[in-house]
Amino acid sequence: GESVGLHLPTLSVQEGDNSIINCAYSNSASDYFIWYKQESGKGPQFIIDIRSNMDKRQGQRVTVLLNKTVKHLSLQIAATQPGDSAVYFCAEMSLGSNYKLTFGKGTLLTVNP
Amino acid sequence: SAVISQKPSRDICQRGTSLTIQCQVDSQVTMMFWYRQQPGQSLTLIATANQGSEATYESGFVIDKFPISRPNLTFSTLTVSNMSPEDSSIYLCSVRARKGEKLFFGSGTQLSVL
């Protein structure tokens, strides 16, 4: 759902299920995207990135999909584990912008054992 | 990836005082940035720390309030000046390593202003 004020979108899944976290980005000139994971009390941790000349990139248990037509990014986590519980942020950048990242609102993922 | 150390990890400060946050990287990096994360919110870029010259500030952030230093390729400081409770946030250092586009973050400084 949409975030209002201090409320983050939330996603609750069962352990072992696959998770899909979505992000709509705003700048059609953005050509590089990163997903970060932020656990409570910690800084954002790099998960995976993708350039705009790709529409899919896979890592270990994670896949990022990019749809430039509708300016949409998603992060898929396979076989979600309790350690995946965190806030996930997408971030966009134009590589000609001196590496200034614009962050999305974030999604709180809760994995139930 | 670069190892980024931020000090202090947290602090509680009085209104009207200033706090300087340090960011130390274990290797030379091309770019360093400072972000703010207000409670329950996403991250917002404050400024790009330029080595040997004045920082480049984003809209809504000014040097008098957030002076930044970057004396070399591995170290930067951010000062939060004349603090008010509205400055209570997490302040994060970010770096771009020498190769590639990836940007990494420190663990942040949790600041509370009373």
Side-chain angles (χ1 to χ4, degrees):
Chain A
E2 281 193 346
S3 65
V4 178
L6 300 180
H7 301 288
L8 288 173
T10 58
L11 175 65
S12 184
V13 301
Q14 290 300 122
E15 182 177 359
D17 288 352
N18 296 332
S19 303
I20 300 176
I21 300 171
N22 296 304
C23 176
Y25 64 92
S26 56
N27 188 352
S28 56
S30 293
D31 50 14
Y32 180 62
F33 306 86
I34 305 176
W35 279 100
Y36 288 95
K37 171 187 180 183
Q38 187 176 29
E39 297 173 280
S40 181
K42 297 184 179 180
Q45 175 189 351
F46 178 98
I47 302 174
I48 192 167
D49 59 352
I50 188 168
R51 288 196 180 213
S52 60
N53 61 353
M54 305 172 69
D55 53 22
K56 180 179 180 179
R57 189 158 190 232
Q58 287 185 291
Q60 187 176 15
R61 277 203 310 120
V62 295
T63 300
V64 55
L65 299 178
L66 174 63
N67 184 330
K68 295 179 289 295
T69 303
V70 294
K71 292 190 287 187
H72 183 269
L73 198 64
S74 69
L75 177 70
Q76 301 178 359
I77 305 173
T80 315
Q81 302 167 1
D84 294 326
S85 295
V87 177
Y88 289 81
F89 292 98
C90 66
E92 61 182 294
M93 179 171 68
S94 168
L95 290 173
S97 70
N98 288 326
Y99 292 87
K100 298 178 182 179
L101 280 174
T102 300
F103 279 77
K105 291 187 172 76
T107 297
L108 174 62
L109 173 66
T110 301
V111 181
N112 302 309
Chain B
S1 64
V3 176
I4 306 166
S5 301
Q6 263 187 253
K7 291 182 183 179
S9 58
R10 58 177 60 239
D11 208 341
I12 300 172
C13 300
Q14 295 297 318
R15 181 194 299 260
T17 63
S18 298
L19 175 71
T20 296
I21 302 166
Q22 298 181 359
C23 178
Q24 178 74 56
V25 192
D26 69 341
S27 58
Q28 292 185 345
V29 294
T30 55
M31 304 185 80
M32 297 181 78
F33 306 88
W34 288 97
Y35 284 80
R36 180 176 73 182
Q37 187 175 26
Q38 293 176 300
Q41 301 288 313
S42 187
L43 285 76
T44 301
L45 179 63
I46 297 172
T48 303
N50 299 310
Q51 192 228 339
S53 63
E54 191 172 288
T56 305
Y57 289 85
E58 296 302 302
S59 176
F61 298 97
V62 295
I63 188 170
D64 289 347
K65 177 66 176 177
F66 297 102
I68 288 170
S69 78
R70 188 180 173 193
N72 56 51
L73 291 175
T74 63
F75 185 78
S76 178
T77 67
L78 167 74
T79 299
V80 186
S81 303
N82 188 25
M83 287 183 284
S84 67
E86 292 72 32
D87 294 320
S88 298
S89 293
I90 301 172
Y91 293 86
L92 295 141
C93 172
S94 174
V95 306
R96 177 192 167 217
R98 291 189 75 86
K99 294 183 179 180
E101 297 86 18
K102 295 178 182 177
L103 294 161
F104 301 97
F105 285 82
S107 54
T109 297
Q110 173 80 62
L111 171 62
S112 297
V113 184
L114 305 178

